[in-house]
Amino acid sequence: MEDMEKSQQTEQMQQRSQRTEQTKGSQQMQHSQSWQSPQNSQNPQHSHQVGQLWAKQHMHKTGQLQAMLDQKPMSLIVSLPGNDLALARAAWEEGADALKVHYNVGHRASGNHFGPLDEYTEVFRTIRSQFGGPFGVVPSGSIEGTRREDVERLAGMGFDFYSIYAHHLPSMMLSDLGLESTFAINDEYDASLVASAAHFGFTALEASIVPGKEYGTPLCFTDVLRYRQLVLQAGVPVLVPSQRKLVPEDVPVLHHSGIKAIMLGAMVTGKTEDELRRAVSSFRNAIDRLEQKEPSGSEQSVSESLAAGHSIPKSSFAGHIDPCDPINPSDPVELSDSSGSGRDGS
């Protein structure tokens, strides 16, 4: 038994090391090309001076978030339960494609309260110096708390995008801040409003539509239908945060619904490094399995037609038998795994 446990631990360590090596190269390349200066100094004073210099210059959007959503069948974003380097490192070592942090906001799911930006300046810069993927921030939990002087510093600190509820987003944040923009809606929004998001240049929509009293309960088909409705209406990629107690088995159906990224938060990751590692690793594996089952040929054509809103003849679906159709008992019935289809919303 001890030998078996040691073997499993060794295998997990090897998988973790492989993930780190696979992501490190691409992240470092993106990182150096997007925001980082030629001299990557760990000196806090140097980082502060460089941050001040960048804040005074016009910052161009890195486009990292958009590129990730365009290029990957489904992405894995981790919303950290705390602004902590160890948690951030655990997330990217286990395969997170993007990270999100918070300041000036109370976080319902984790029960944490995040203080002002100045409390986290150095840890944010340290995370940025070591992580090359898309790096986002929630800048406030209220419209009154969203300060212009803070959000104008974010691009200079190396953030790629911001994430905020639409009713917390002041008009000044619709101007060019050098950041890609995502916004969230809750369960009280009129879903038809999201159709205007692309007009204002938003990169993605965060579908935070589960009522607070239902946090931590399992994903149900009603949720899937609502997510699908948003995918069809939004005109921008739709991200699903883990307000429900998502499990890796939910990944194929969310992918089939057109969801472009799952955002794991405290409801799934827990608050400790070990809990976070286990959660991120399990979802990373589930998403990687999607890429191994991408549809091809006629299956891909069906997926693309569905994404365009076209009707599909019943005969196009292998394995689907309409009870009203006459069936010849001698005809073979083919069953197929369609978990890799339905990739739209981008």
Side-chain angles (χ1 to χ4, degrees):
M1 183 65 70
E2 291 181 358
D3 291 342
M4 183 178 297
E5 291 179 353
K6 290 181 180 179
S7 176
Q8 291 175 344
Q9 292 175 353
T10 301
E11 183 177 355
Q12 290 174 350
M13 291 178 64
Q14 290 174 342
Q15 290 176 345
R16 183 179 304 160
S17 177
Q18 184 177 13
R19 283 179 185 142
T20 302
E21 291 301 320
Q22 287 174 343
T23 58
K24 185 180 296 183
S26 60
Q27 287 182 355
Q28 287 178 344
M29 182 175 295
Q30 293 171 348
H31 186 45
S32 62
Q33 291 176 345
S34 61
W35 75 274
Q36 187 144 4
S37 63
Q39 295 180 344
N40 179 17
S41 173
Q42 298 292 327
N43 185 297
Q45 183 177 359
H46 173 78
S47 298
H48 181 64
Q49 292 172 345
V50 173
Q52 286 182 325
L53 176 62
W54 283 337
K56 295 177 182 178
Q57 297 174 346
H58 175 73
M59 296 297 300
H60 295 285
K61 298 177 183 179
T62 66
Q64 282 214 90
L65 181 65
Q66 183 71 63
M68 180 189 77
L69 296 173
D70 287 345
Q71 294 168 9
K72 294 178 177 291
M74 177 176 273
S75 298
L76 183 60
I77 304 172
V78 175
S79 179
L80 297 176
N83 295 332
D84 181 83
L85 177 60
L87 292 175
R89 181 179 291 113
W92 77 62
E93 285 182 351
E94 297 299 339
D97 295 307
L99 301 178
K100 188 177 82 169
V101 293
H102 309 72
Y103 73 86
N104 196 29
V105 63
H107 194 238
R108 184 199 297 263
S110 68
N112 289 342
H113 178 78
F114 297 91
L117 178 61
D118 286 341
E119 288 188 18
Y120 311 111
T121 299
E122 294 308 325
V123 69
F124 288 166
R125 287 197 174 110
T126 302
I127 293 172
R128 175 75 286 179
S129 71
Q130 299 183 31
F131 175 67
F135 188 32
V137 62
V138 178
S140 180
S142 70
I143 191 168
E144 296 83 6
T146 309
R147 306 197 319 162
R148 174 184 287 272
E149 55 266 39
D150 285 344
V151 297
E152 288 181 344
R153 296 167 57 194
L154 297 177
M157 293 172 63
F159 285 105
D160 298 292
F161 68 97
Y162 69 73
S163 171
I164 190 171
Y165 274 107
H167 58 284
H168 294 161
L169 196 160
S171 59
M172 63 92 175
M173 289 186 67
L174 296 175
S175 59
D176 184 9
L177 299 169
L179 299 166
E180 293 180 86
S181 53
T182 73
F183 74 103
I185 64 170
N186 62 25
D187 60 302
E188 299 178 355
Y189 278 65
D190 177 354
S192 65
L193 294 177
V194 302
S196 301
H199 173 76
F200 293 97
F202 279 87
T203 302
L205 163 67
E206 186 176 327
S208 302
I209 58 175
V210 175
K213 63 182 181 180
E214 298 180 23
Y215 278 20
T217 57
L219 182 76
C220 65
F221 186 48
T222 303
D223 302 319
V224 175
L225 291 174
R226 289 172 177 159
Y227 294 146
R228 179 63 182 167
Q229 181 187 29
L230 291 173
V231 166
L232 294 175
Q233 291 182 325
V236 295
V238 178
L239 322 178
V240 168
S242 60
Q243 297 172 305
R244 297 290 188 189
K245 184 69 172 180
L246 296 179
V247 294
E249 289 76 16
D250 294 326
V251 168
V253 71
L254 291 174
H255 176 248
H256 183 71
S257 301
I259 299 304
K260 291 296 294 180
I262 293 176
M263 184 179 290
L264 296 185
M267 197 59 64
V268 170
T269 65
K271 297 183 180 182
T272 69
E273 182 180 339
D274 287 342
E275 290 173 324
L276 186 144
R277 283 189 181 277
R278 287 194 295 270
V280 176
S281 176
S282 64
F283 277 83
R284 178 76 268 162
N285 290 335
I287 291 174
D288 288 347
R289 285 194 292 271
L290 292 176
E291 299 181 5
Q292 299 169 8
K293 296 182 180 180
E294 283 299 290
S296 59
S298 60
E299 288 180 325
Q300 182 66 36
S301 299
V302 170
S303 297
E304 292 173 351
S305 297
L306 281 172
H310 300 155
S311 60
I312 306 297
K314 286 178 285 188
S315 60
S316 299
F317 293 93
H320 173 76
I321 303 175
D322 192 303
C324 298
D325 288 343
I327 300 177
N328 185 339
S330 64
D331 290 341
V333 177
E334 296 182 2
L335 299 179
S336 66
D337 179 4
S338 60
S339 62
S341 62
R343 295 191 295 114
D344 60 339
S346 60

